[in-house]
Amino acid sequence: MIRFCKSSKLNLVIYNTIAFKFNSFLIIFFSIFFFAWGLGGYNKADANTLKIKNQIVSLDKQGDVFYNYPHNWRFSYAMDYWKPYMIQEVRDHVRYGNTALRFELRSGSCGKTKSGWDDCKNGPYGSERHELLPNNKNRNVGFKGNVWHTLSFYQLPFKTHMQGHNSIWQIHNDGDWAPMFNTDLTEEGIYWQRRSACNDPRVYKKYNAKGNDGCSSRWKENSRTIIIPKNEMFSQWNDVIMNVNYTTKDSGFLKMWVNGKLVYHFEGPILPPNGGNGWTNNSAMQFGIYRMSETGVHPYTEVRYYDEIRFAKKKCSELKLEELGYNCKDLQSQTTKVDKYNR
């Protein structure tokens, strides 16, 4: 208990001194408290909320990376190769909404799939990939007919001098057929590579090949088209919209818009024949960082963000593209040169 002396002036001095020290203590205390609270809140907001079990990923209930997709996603390699930094759900770098996915691929990050495929032996110096694939472990996943996809990505800058390939997303299948379409990030820009001719018996028989066996992107029936120029592939969100008619018939097509502009249009079979016994034609989209060099192991770390991965059947309007600043009517009114192959 504090006792004051009789002198009023001395009492006042003592009181003011105590009050000053107490107020200073409160200021320091609450400053530290609110700083710690703010820092903790920031960490909580930006913490990784992706979970994975038996290769299957699950995201925060408040997350909105995917919209209307009809299947779950699984990590490309066996769980022995998984590390939390590889794919994260984050809130600090998004295209729209609350969350996005952050992919990080470090030098030498090759691995094996659960079925035994060894990327470390895929190519002269191996391949590296952190991809998300359709979860087809308990059921077949494949699209048929008219489908719409969207995908937005943000590529952090890195050196691109290595000869080989660097994929952002692919249209792939379960069997031994060649990937029908894939991206390739190069020093010249981002290419859209079509290898659908490798899966068409009217073409591959001429080359004594079939699917991945003997397939070459250099065949005159295949093609490579720049869809994003060099000056637009780094440090910005790129929005991709695709309308695909998944069929084995010549009525198939793939249209692609990048940032609201129609940059590619193919007409011809999308799906390979369904041969069974390793030649199934269940086909869908997969995405992530997948790279291989012909001149050595990539020496650098690569970081890429993905967001707004949306799906719709038949109708563009179901994608809710107005949220991203696009209009279906404007998109569908555009035309460009059609890619076809002569058989």
Side-chain angles (χ1 to χ4, degrees):
M1 179 177 174
I2 299 175
R3 297 181 179 275
F4 295 105
C5 62
K6 296 182 178 180
S7 173
S8 59
K9 290 184 178 181
L10 184 58
N11 286 343
L12 183 60
V13 170
I14 294 174
Y15 175 83
N16 288 339
T17 300
I18 294 174
F20 175 79
K21 290 183 177 181
F22 181 72
N23 288 338
S24 298
F25 168 79
L26 288 178
I27 292 173
I28 294 172
F29 172 81
F30 282 107
S31 297
I32 294 174
F33 173 82
F34 284 114
F35 174 79
W37 178 86
L39 187 60
Y42 175 84
N43 288 336
K44 182 178 179 181
D46 291 341
N48 176 26
T49 48
L50 181 143
K51 297 179 181 179
I52 185 168
K53 183 178 180 180
N54 297 327
Q55 295 182 269
I56 311 305
V57 300
S58 60
L59 304 182
D60 192 317
K61 291 182 179 180
Q62 302 301 317
D64 51 8
V65 176
F66 299 103
Y67 172 75
N68 206 33
Y69 245 85
H71 59 73
N72 295 325
W73 301 85
R74 62 181 175 88
F75 179 55
S76 51
Y77 289 149
M79 287 302 295
D80 293 343
Y81 297 90
W82 170 257
K83 292 182 175 60
Y85 74 81
M86 294 177 173
I87 307 175
Q88 301 181 52
E89 183 182 25
V90 299
R91 296 175 179 269
D92 62 335
H93 194 97
V94 303
R95 168 61 179 89
Y96 177 85
N98 298 321
T99 59
L101 293 178
R102 181 187 186 275
F103 285 65
E104 180 176 327
L105 186 64
R106 299 177 183 178
S107 180
S109 296
C110 62
K112 293 182 180 180
T113 66
K114 197 171 183 179
S115 62
W117 173 263
D118 190 353
D119 261 350
C120 299
K121 298 178 180 178
N122 181 22
Y125 297 94
S127 299
E128 306 163 310
R129 78 174 88 201
H130 294 156
E131 286 188 301
L132 287 182
L133 288 61
N135 177 24
N136 57 358
K137 294 303 182 183
N138 298 320
R139 67 183 180 95
N140 292 328
V141 175
F143 298 135
K144 299 291 191 295
N146 194 332
V147 166
W148 288 81
H149 305 274
T150 72
L151 175 147
S152 297
F153 70 93
Y154 188 107
Q155 177 72 56
L156 294 187
F158 70 99
K159 294 181 179 179
T160 59
H161 66 281
M162 306 291 284
Q163 296 297 316
H165 72 75
N166 190 325
S167 178
I168 301 171
W169 79 95
Q170 307 181 64
I171 304 293
H172 216 297
N173 60 85
D174 285 348
D176 292 327
W177 298 108
M180 297 85 82
F181 300 92
N182 68 276
T183 43
D184 189 12
L185 193 158
T186 74
E187 286 188 321
E188 302 166 2
I190 298 177
Y191 280 89
W192 186 241
Q193 181 169 270
R194 178 178 59 77
R195 286 182 282 171
S196 60
C198 296
N199 301 332
D200 191 327
R202 297 171 295 184
V203 178
Y204 65 68
K205 289 181 179 180
K206 297 190 300 182
Y207 294 92
N208 193 29
K210 183 180 180 181
N212 273 323
D213 186 10
C215 172
S216 173
S217 61
R218 297 180 177 86
W219 291 0
K220 62 184 179 64
E221 295 87 357
N222 288 323
S223 67
R224 280 170 59 87
T225 305
I226 286 186
I227 57 171
I228 298 178
K230 179 179 180 179
N231 64 336
E232 296 179 9
M233 64 184 185
F234 290 133
S235 301
Q236 69 173 58
W237 281 104
N238 282 297
D239 301 325
V240 178
I241 302 166
M242 294 184 293
N243 182 204
V244 189
N245 185 22
Y246 286 90
T247 177
T248 59
K249 300 178 181 179
D250 289 333
S251 58
F253 63 81
L254 186 149
K255 294 182 178 180
M256 182 194 304
W257 295 260
V258 175
N259 300 327
K261 180 181 178 182
L262 183 64
V263 296
Y264 181 79
H265 182 181
F266 167 72
E267 291 182 352
I270 301 295
L271 296 178
N274 189 2
N277 296 324
W279 294 95
T280 173
N281 69 349
N282 292 319
S283 302
M285 185 184 77
Q286 60 192 61
F287 66 97
I289 307 174
Y290 171 35
R291 65 190 186 188
M292 177 176 65
S293 171
E294 299 171 358
T295 57
V297 177
H298 287 272
Y300 48 81
T301 294
E302 188 173 345
V303 175
R304 187 183 301 154
Y305 293 85
Y306 291 88
D307 199 0
E308 300 314 309
I309 302 171
R310 305 184 179 196
F311 176 88
K313 287 186 176 180
K314 297 183 179 180
K315 294 182 179 180
C316 172
S317 58
E318 295 178 359
L319 294 172
K320 297 184 178 181
L321 293 179
E322 61 276 4
E323 295 177 340
L324 305 179
Y326 304 112
N327 178 280
C328 287
K329 185 177 180 180
D330 292 342
L331 297 176
Q332 293 177 291
S333 68
Q334 300 176 31
T335 60
T336 190
K337 181 180 178 181
V338 178
D339 175 26
K340 294 182 178 182
Y341 55 84
N342 297 320
R343 293 178 291 274

